[in-house]
Amino acid sequence: MKNHIKKLSLFAVGIFFNMNYGQSGNVGINTENPQQKLHVSGVKNVLVSNIGTTSIPLIAPTVRIDGLNSTNNSTVFSAANTTNPLYINASGDTSVKKGEERFSYFAPQSDAITTGTTLNVTAVGGYVVTGNLLTVSFTLNQRSMVFFSSVLTADVRNASGGTISDGNERAVASVLQFTSAPASSGIPVNTIYASDGLAFANRVAGGSVNTFKLNSTTEIVLPAGSYTVVLKGAGICANQAADNFRVIFGAGSGDRFNILAKPL
């Protein structure tokens, strides 16, 4: 019994050696003069290892909270060395959330569309639109700022597949549409949400075929929920059959559709 009491006394001494209570009622760890209700101090040492997959060196001392680790937040951490931001709500409660999420990402050198889609644009007095060239579905676990960025190549030719040289204006565009979204988002579905277009004309009979790159890009704050967004191509010409033309979308290189989100 005496041996157990001795061990307990040494343990208690160890606690009071590391934790100090100031006259103000503040608690300090490794400091005899705590300046806040909880003050963690110690020598600032830069360790060799980095934080997760980042190139940021680990600084000692650190504060470890088991409730925020990957075991207790399995849906947040994708791997053991993932680094995610810490959030604090208005009540002072802390939680760990996912950092930047990539729901769709194609590097600048990659090409997301391997087979082009031909759109025959006729003189109907309005835009003619392709089917879905790229489709991305994603789910937000919390309110987030979402960034949409796309590149769509458009190879413009006359109705027979040759070079346009009549000098008449025509227009092509890439468009983004939500095909599904929570009602709470206020997003209109199955209608153009964002687009990038241009008008052009060519009178040079021996000129090169007109090839363009269209960039539909936008950003929006969205609530938690599931969404589906599609990328389409479109074209319009004057209301006469002589102005009919065709566009081959996605036949060039560098076509892509990226969606990234940052929790708020």
Side-chain angles (χ1 to χ4, degrees):
M1 175 64 72
K2 290 182 179 180
N3 189 38
H4 288 297
I5 294 174
K6 183 178 181 181
K7 289 182 178 179
L8 180 61
S9 299
L10 290 174
F11 178 70
V13 170
I15 292 177
F16 284 104
F17 180 79
N18 290 287
M19 296 183 63
N20 296 282
Y21 297 84
Q23 294 182 352
S24 62
N26 296 338
V27 177
I29 300 177
N30 283 340
T31 177
E32 296 181 356
N33 184 26
Q35 300 299 306
Q36 295 293 340
K37 292 302 180 183
L38 176 60
H39 185 170
V40 181
S41 185
V43 179
K44 180 179 179 181
N45 296 318
V46 178
L47 304 184
V48 176
S49 59
N50 292 333
I51 300 175
T53 57
T54 70
S55 58
I56 303 172
L58 186 64
I59 305 295
T62 60
V63 177
R64 175 171 293 183
I65 304 174
D66 287 346
L68 301 177
N69 63 22
S70 58
T71 301
N72 293 306
N73 297 273
S74 58
T75 61
V76 174
F77 291 92
S78 58
N81 60 352
T82 302
T83 301
N84 286 308
L86 181 67
Y87 285 77
I88 303 175
N89 65 16
S91 299
D93 298 326
T94 59
S95 61
V96 61
K97 302 294 184 181
K98 284 186 177 181
E100 179 185 83
E101 295 187 78
R102 295 182 176 185
F103 297 113
S104 172
Y105 182 75
F106 297 91
Q109 296 81 9
S110 62
D111 190 13
I113 302 176
T114 56
T115 303
T117 297
T118 299
L119 177 68
N120 292 309
V121 183
T122 58
V124 296
Y127 270 107
V128 179
V129 184
T130 68
N132 301 340
L133 302 178
L134 290 172
T135 302
V136 180
S137 296
F138 61 95
T139 299
L140 298 174
N141 294 318
Q142 70 174 81
R143 181 173 175 266
S144 303
M145 172 67 78
V146 186
F147 302 87
F148 300 88
S149 176
S150 67
V151 176
L152 181 61
T153 56
D155 184 352
V156 182
R157 301 170 181 264
N158 62 27
S160 301
T163 302
I164 295 176
S165 58
D166 57 14
N168 295 336
E169 284 194 356
R170 297 167 174 84
V172 293
S174 66
V175 300
L176 300 180
Q177 291 184 359
F178 285 84
T179 57
S180 66
S184 60
S185 68
I187 296 293
V189 297
N190 299 318
T191 185
I192 295 176
Y193 185 81
S195 65
D196 179 43
L198 57 87
F200 69 94
N202 181 32
R203 290 186 180 276
V204 182
S208 62
V209 174
N210 297 287
T211 301
F212 307 101
K213 285 194 174 183
L214 304 166
N215 304 93
S216 295
T217 302
T218 189
E219 59 186 56
I220 183 174
V221 175
L222 295 176
S226 297
Y227 301 81
T228 298
V229 186
V230 299
L231 173 65
K232 298 183 178 185
I236 189 173
C237 63
N239 195 19
Q240 52 186 355
D243 292 329
N244 291 353
F245 70 106
R246 68 177 59 170
V247 191
I248 306 175
F249 289 104
S253 60
D255 299 284
R256 55 189 182 273
F257 186 18
N258 295 337
I259 301 179
L260 298 87
K262 184 174 180 58
L264 298 175

